Amino acid sequence: PPGFEAWQLTNEFHLLSDEEWIPPYYRGKHRPNVTFSADNRTLLGSTVAQLRYVKLSVSKVFAGLNGWAIIEEEKAGVLAHPSFEDDGAEPVAATEIAVKLASRQLAHRVAGVTDPPASLDTGDRCRSINEEALRLALRASSPEARARFQKHGRPLVMGPDTKPMPPAGPWWIWSYLDFRDMGEAGIEVRSWYAFYPLSGPTYGAGNHYCKLLSPAWALEWIYTDSLRPPAAPASA
């Protein structure tokens, strides 16, 4: 927004779900936010993120009401989960980073813009972040690994953002980053997003949620998984 010279960002790691009945203790409500510094020249942004390793269905967690199922996503539950094995067959990095962000619309209002439009948040905002995650992984790769990937690896392509149906919190939380195998053309990554304009319900107004690609997952793809042959198509 005009008049501000810099951003200062902080993040907190939490379970995305913050309902009161998740055992064994109550998690306080957590929301992303935007404020400004004492000199009114720096926007201060906060986000909430969860690294996801196991996949649960919205029916298993009963749309967020089954707390005992939800805590399978915590560290102890992940390490004990039967699907989590470091045997080289599957990535060990998080399958996604699910992030609650403040919307661009909210940032402009905090910055003093009168009646900022919801259109500030249109477009594939999550995809642009995922593209940067891939660029970060490529920069972190060794020159040899990067060259091998670019010559022999299957590409990692970022697709358009997708809104879950119904477009409500539980369906965003338990819809996971979509990896679409396109054979020799590579993998297309699609984010699930949820945007709630300032005119929306108080609970979510001013939020823009994204399912994001883990740079660690992208590194595994660059070093090893992209070099595997594509899976054979399922027989009819």
Side-chain angles (χ1 to χ4, degrees), residues 55 94-97 124-134 149 154-162 175-183 185-193 210-215 217-219 221:
K55 293 185 178 182
T95 58
E96 68 177 22
I97 306 174
D124 296 317
R125 301 294 176 181
C126 307
R127 177 169 66 178
S128 64
I129 302 173
N130 287 335
E131 289 170 342
E132 182 57 37
L134 177 57
F149 167 68
R154 292 198 293 148
L156 200 57
V157 181
M158 305 305 151
D161 299 348
T162 305
S175 292
Y176 296 88
L177 193 64
D178 189 5
F179 295 93
R180 301 188 176 193
D181 195 329
M182 303 185 297
I187 296 289
E188 182 184 59
V189 181
R190 292 194 178 197
S191 173
W192 297 97
Y193 81 98
C210 285
K211 295 301 185 75
L212 301 180
L213 175 68
S214 162
W217 193 100
L219 270 173
W221 181 259

Side-chain angles (χ1 to χ4, degrees), residues 107-171:
H108 278 72
R109 188 180 72 176
V110 170
V113 176
T114 302
D115 195 23
S119 60
L120 287 166
D121 284 85
T122 59
D124 296 317
R125 301 294 176 181
C126 307
R127 177 169 66 178
S128 64
I129 302 173
N130 287 335
E131 289 170 342
E132 182 57 37
L134 177 57
R135 286 192 287 268
L136 175 61
L138 285 167
R139 290 195 299 270
S141 302
S142 70
E144 295 80 8
R146 186 164 55 248
R148 183 175 61 243
F149 167 68
Q150 292 170 341
K151 184 175 182 179
H152 301 292
R154 292 198 293 148
L156 200 57
V157 181
M158 305 305 151
D161 299 348
T162 305
K163 181 185 293 186
M165 291 301 294
W171 281 264

